[in-house]
Amino acid sequence: MLEMRNLSFGVDDSQGKKEILKDVSLTVGDDKFVVITGPNGGGKSTLAKLIMGIEKPKSGQILFDGQDITEKNITERANMGISFALQQPVRFKGVQVLDLIRLAAKKQLSAADACRYLSEVGLCAKDYINREVNASLSGGELKRIEIATVLARGTKLSVFDEPEAGIDLWSFQNLIQVFENMRKNTHGSIIIISHQERILEIADEIVVISDGSILKHGPKDEILPEILGTASAPGSCQFYRRDR
């Protein structure tokens, strides 16, 4: 279980101190699929970075399986069982896909075992296993390879920051299928930062963050109709997307 208690985070800019998250408390239970959504600039990606340890809160606590991880670094959190998929996956010139999956799994997987993870994300394994993780791969291919590394890690908590960013319609439709399969088959919790209605629709719970605070949190069947109703009201701010 992941628990965030009274988290606050801010930065100093040219106009002084800017609060990004304000006294945020949130619990993500075991084996839950949670989507965090809300307007741009509301603090969603910052919250994801705090969970992984990329950023440190100014105040508050983060607990994972009952242990305080607030001061632990990225490597320590990864070793405890937290995975993080970046909004823009990193390219590794000279590193083959097989090498990357082996690094994620922390063992010398056979090519056949590594191919199984690629197949789970809808890639023809024989076409990718020996390719370099470089600019020859499209955004959608990189996203799915990154998800394959998350599957290879098999961690208790997987966090995805806007996985739909920068990919085409075909790749997005395949990503939805991948996440649906993860929801059914993964023994662990999944957190996705997203604006996409189709991702919201497969969540167990939805969290709405705006202006650094949690506005709503609850079961999808309760929260999604409220979001859609609010977003379609005259003069409202439509932060979710139906364009996929």
Side-chain angles (χ1 to χ4, degrees):
M1 182 172 72
L2 177 72
E3 186 177 358
M4 290 161 273
R5 299 177 179 173
N6 308 110
L7 291 183
S8 294
F9 180 82
V11 295
D12 294 330
D13 59 18
S14 59
Q15 298 178 344
K17 293 185 177 180
K18 178 182 178 182
E19 281 190 299
I20 297 175
L21 291 173
K22 309 165 188 174
D23 198 33
V24 169
S25 294
L26 175 66
T27 298
V28 176
D30 293 334
D31 300 324
K32 292 293 185 182
F33 189 116
V34 178
V35 177
I36 299 177
T37 192
N40 288 331
K44 304 182 300 298
S45 291
T46 297
L47 185 61
K49 291 175 182 177
L50 289 175
I51 292 170
M52 193 64 235
I54 297 170
E55 300 284 3
K56 293 292 180 70
K58 301 300 181 184
S59 61
Q61 283 183 303
I62 304 174
L63 288 85
F64 184 58
D65 284 346
Q67 184 175 348
D68 190 340
I69 63 170
T70 312
E71 297 303 321
K72 293 189 179 298
N73 60 35
I74 296 172
T75 301
E76 290 170 324
R77 296 184 198 207
N79 289 335
M80 291 179 69
I82 302 176
S83 295
F84 186 81
L86 297 163
Q87 192 174 131
Q88 297 295 332
V90 178
R91 299 175 190 268
F92 300 94
K93 186 176 180 180
V95 176
Q96 293 184 331
V97 172
L98 175 58
D99 299 326
L100 195 62
I101 294 176
R102 283 174 171 170
L103 284 170
K106 292 187 176 180
K107 55 185 176 182
Q108 194 68 12
L109 293 173
S110 68
D113 286 337
C115 284
R116 178 169 57 84
Y117 293 115
L118 291 174
S119 296
E120 286 186 40
V121 298
L123 294 177
C124 181
K126 65 183 178 62
D127 293 337
Y128 288 90
I129 196 70
N130 294 316
R131 288 184 64 178
E132 285 191 17
V133 188
N134 59 21
S136 69
L137 295 168
S138 71
E141 289 169 329
L142 277 172
K143 293 277 187 179
R144 282 187 280 169
I145 289 168
E146 185 177 49
I147 294 171
T149 65
V150 172
L151 293 174
R153 292 201 69 220
T155 51
K156 292 182 179 180
L157 175 64
S158 302
V159 183
F160 298 87
D161 187 7
E162 295 198 29
E164 72 272 14
I167 64 172
D168 57 40
L169 176 60
W170 184 88
S171 297
F172 177 75
Q173 290 171 337
N174 280 273
L175 277 178
I176 293 295
Q177 184 63 55
V178 169
F179 286 131
E180 286 179 331
N181 290 338
M182 283 187 71
R183 184 178 181 275
K184 294 174 185 175
N185 303 323
T186 299
H187 299 294
S189 298
I190 300 168
I191 297 175
I192 298 182
I193 310 298
S194 180
H195 296 103
Q196 290 292 342
E197 183 181 354
R198 288 189 61 193
I199 292 180
L200 293 168
E201 287 172 347
I202 61 175
D204 294 319
E205 299 176 6
I206 295 174
V207 179
V208 181
I209 293 182
S210 179
D211 194 27
S213 300
I214 293 178
L215 298 185
K216 302 176 186 291
H217 176 207
K220 173 198 67 180
D221 292 343
E222 174 187 319
I223 302 297
L224 187 56
E226 292 184 25
I227 294 173
L228 301 184
T230 301
S232 62
S236 64
C237 177
Q238 185 171 337
F239 57 79
Y240 76 94
R241 295 176 186 153
R242 284 173 161 165
D243 56 354
R244 294 283 186 178

